Amino acid sequence: MSSNKDIESLIEMMARLPGLGPRSARRAVLQLVRKRDLLLLPLADLMHQVGVSVRECETCGNLASSPLCDICISPKRAGPEICVVEDVADLWAMERGGSFRGRYHVLGGTLSALDSIGPEDLKIPKLVQRVADESVREVILALNATVDGQTTAHYIADQLEGKVRMTSLAQGVPIGGELDYLDDGTISAALRARKDI
Amino acid sequence: MSSNKDIESLIEMMARLPGLGPRSARRAVLQLVRKRDLLLLPLADLMHQVGVSVRECETCGNLASSPLCDICISPKRAGPEICVVEDVADLWAMERGGSFRGRYHVLGGTLSALDSIGPEDLKIPKLVQRVADESVREVILALNATVDGQTTAHYIADQLEGKVRMTSLAQGVPIGGELDYLDDGTISAALRARKDI
Ligand SMILES: [Zn+2]
Ligand SMILES: [Zn+2]
């Protein structure tokens, strides 16, 4: 189509990214080629860099370039609260909200009978262990307000009952809503108004 | 925001691509990280490969990995017709149409008094030279049906008058329409019904 194999492969691969179809992938590739030194080559380097260095934080499941992520390493984030989220996109959404100053626990999904995802497939045992090992005084369950999200929250609440204070995001999270699609102010408000489970 | 400098830079750079905003850039980066071996690292390699090898074809202005592009090299495309297009996206659109079997000439834009783009800024002198040097019998002006596109077509027609048969895409190109946004069938129909200028 483009009469050049590498360019065609690049367009095909870009078209597999969420948000890009074939037409926008073609436009993106032309833009990349036009800005070879400012965009294409730096982007290639950065992707390679991220590709060889990215891993899961051994403690919380966040993306990291070393065994522990920047949040787990930071003394500023060493509060007595752990915020439990489904995935890294939700952690990013919480960070954009900017009002949570503790650490996270990224489950890596939700319990789902339909998809046969049980507690062992998520990082729930690791969470129970962290609560036992670290001086955690509060676990904030910031799970999506979906059926699977709430099922997971209840399961975790059962596991940790009596061991730690548990709260959930309250005000502002719409029914069926997903954290990653909320505006930053709503997330901050929900965090401030969190309530005991 | 993502608590990791490289990931943040990657999101920022991806968000500069046409079609991707900050949210879709975040989703794309998460997808890339999740498919590290299948998508992120191969994409990084391919971008690097394209970045170090891509150049303009010395004859036609198409993207190439060697001094001449694959179309200019191919004996199958050595017909007596040259199709003149504004940019590489339009060449790709013509190729998707699949009915033109000759070679191209990519102008690199259109004449524009507003943007002070004159004939010397485009590859118009090179086109005149190709018509003189190569055994060209027909120049198909496949320029966009915009004011600048048509101004450019008239200028080229003046330059080549009496030297070669000139045609333009006819049927099916809507007024104000741009080639890159047309469906493939329309482009084929317009090519078949091309008329003398
Ligand atoms: Zn961590
Ligand atoms: Zn060429």
Side-chain angles (χ1 to χ4, degrees), chain A residues 10 16 18 32 50 52-54 61 68 71 84-85 96 98 108-109 117 123 135 144 146 180 186 195:
Chain A
L10 186 53
R16 287 164 54 193
L32 285 167
V50 168
V52 297
S53 70
V54 76
L68 297 184
I71 293 177
V84 177
V85 291
R96 288 198 300 279
I117 298 176
K123 294 204 171 46
S135 51
N144 289 324
T146 55
D180 192 31
T186 304
K195 57 182 179 23

Side-chain angles (χ1 to χ4, degrees), chain B residues 57-64 67-73 104 130:
Chain B
C57 172
E58 289 173 7
T59 296
C60 78
N62 186 16
L63 299 181
L68 297 183
C69 75
D70 294 354
I71 294 177
C72 284
I73 285 169
Y104 290 94
R130 283 183 74 185

